[in-house]
Amino acid sequence: MPVIDARHLTAISETALLTLHQRAAEAARPDGIIEDPLAIALRDSLGYDYRHFGRTHQATALRAVAFDNATGRYLQMQPRATVVALAEGLQTSFWRLDNGEMNWLSVDLEPIVRLRQQLLPPSDRLRHLAQSAFDYSWMDQVDPANGVLITAEGLFQYLKRDAVLDLIATCAARFPGGQLIFDSVPRFLSWYSQRRGIKLSKEYTAPPMPFSLTADRYDELRAIRGIRAVHELEMPAGRGKVLSRAAALVYRTRSLQRFRAPTNVIEFG
Ligand SMILES: C[S@@+](CC[C@H](N)C(=O)[O-])C[C@H]1O[C@@H](n2cnc3c(N)ncnc32)[C@H](O)[C@@H]1O
């Protein structure tokens, strides 16, 4: 792959480099929890000083595996479904999940879509739309005949609550029988990110995260017309015995719901 300068990405778009870097770092480890040679090649083809983001960890790759598992389950039921990846950034999920039949619609802002189109392999089942997820015209591009799964990986936390709830309600009305998968952060982390800022290194502070949601508040989503069910995805086992056991305990204990960052699935009725 050619090397392309990526220093022009800023604000939330720059976070796509952060999450790509985290997945690629995990994929490059011999004991990594995700297999993704394309993520490694993509990271290496972008001119950017990733040391800027501080230390690597497995949390972002674990989140990607949780999304892959849920998407894979949906595709087993509906192999010819359309997957809409909102704010897809530099994800390489299409190639990790491709079953040869699914269709994929990738929606992100123009600078990211340009990089994806320059650097990732084309497919006649992969389309890109360079627009905001809040420009709902992307919905007109989705053929719902064989099922619709919408993913929003690492997006909603950066947005205002009203905008997120309106997007969810509109998807519920437009895609009955479909599903939406998204991750969210607990209230304390949202508060901290806005008051103090989450500083990953001396040079880099992650953008504020105004939207929070935890599993103890799913009734707020169940109250939206067109939503049939909401549940939390199980966190896949991570690397390292102690850490993965501790994480499993946190993710299985009901009384800790409001302290953990869930990956959520909404089923539209
Ligand atoms: C944290 S990154 C996540 C990227 C990718 N989903 C991942 O997990 O690696 C946030 C992404 O949201 C995109 N984004 C921000 N605002 C957006 C909007 N209104 N509509 C679509 N994408 C948006 C950014 O360009 C960036 O790619």
Side-chain angles (χ1 to χ4, degrees):
M1 283 189 197
V3 173
I4 292 186
D5 195 343
R7 286 173 301 174
H8 59 290
L9 298 177
T10 55
I12 307 185
S13 288
E14 191 178 14
T15 62
L17 293 169
L18 166 63
T19 47
L20 168 67
H21 172 54
Q22 291 291 354
R23 284 188 300 273
E26 191 60 33
R29 292 178 63 111
D31 59 350
I33 53 144
I34 192 166
E35 202 180 314
D36 197 338
L38 189 55
I40 301 172
L42 180 60
R43 177 200 55 186
D44 294 346
S45 68
L46 289 163
Y48 188 85
D49 184 359
Y50 294 99
R51 286 172 304 183
H52 186 66
F53 292 133
R55 298 178 58 176
T56 55
H57 54 72
Q58 56 179 320
T60 306
L62 274 173
R63 178 176 80 184
V65 173
F67 271 76
D68 281 4
N69 291 346
T71 306
R73 278 196 293 274
Y74 189 83
L75 288 171
Q76 266 173 4
M77 294 184 304
Q78 308 264 35
R80 302 185 62 214
T82 298
V83 178
V84 184
L86 296 179
E88 184 164 29
L90 300 164
Q91 284 173 229
T92 43
S93 321
F94 176 87
W95 295 272
R96 292 198 304 269
L97 289 162
D98 192 12
N99 63 359
E101 295 181 272
M102 65 186 195
N103 283 289
W104 196 276
L105 183 62
S106 180
V107 180
D108 205 306
L109 305 177
E110 198 275 336
I112 291 285
V113 168
R114 195 163 4 110
L115 288 176
R116 290 184 63 86
Q117 289 178 323
Q118 279 171 307
L119 292 168
L120 289 168
S123 162
D124 54 9
R125 288 177 293 102
L126 168 63
R127 283 180 298 151
H128 286 95
L129 288 176
Q131 66 181 69
S132 168
F134 296 94
D135 166 358
Y136 293 165
S137 64
W138 62 262
M139 296 184 187
D140 303 332
Q141 303 295 318
V142 179
D143 174 4
N146 298 305
V148 179
L149 175 72
I150 301 158
T151 67
E153 193 170 329
L155 174 66
F156 287 173
Q157 49 271 55
Y158 298 111
L159 305 170
K160 294 261 160 56
R161 184 168 196 80
D162 287 353
V164 172
L165 295 182
D166 189 70
L167 175 60
I168 292 174
T170 309
C171 289
R174 283 291 292 265
F175 302 114
Q179 293 188 5
L180 167 68
I181 311 173
F182 69 100
D183 55 300
S184 50
V185 297
R187 196 173 281 182
F188 76 87
L189 198 58
S190 165
W191 177 88
Y192 192 88
S193 75
Q194 294 179 88
R195 292 289 166 89
R196 301 273 171 88
I198 299 178
K199 211 169 157 49
L200 300 185
S201 73
K202 258 195 258 161
E203 302 91 34
Y204 185 78
T205 300
M209 299 188 286
F211 175 71
S212 66
L213 180 81
T214 40
D216 55 312
R217 288 164 57 202
Y218 281 166
D219 281 347
E220 294 171 29
L221 297 180
R222 291 186 187 113
I224 297 174
R225 182 192 283 264
I227 290 187
R228 188 162 61 83
V230 184
H231 60 93
E232 184 178 356
L233 284 180
E234 195 163 310
M235 190 44 70
R239 180 166 35 74
K241 271 193 190 141
V242 177
L243 198 67
S244 57
R245 279 192 193 144
L249 189 70
V250 171
Y251 274 88
R252 283 195 190 131
T253 308
R254 208 180 156 79
S255 59
L256 296 179
Q257 275 179 334
R258 69 199 168 92
F259 299 109
R260 64 191 184 230
T263 305
N264 316 287
V265 181
I266 300 181
E267 294 176 27
F268 303 138

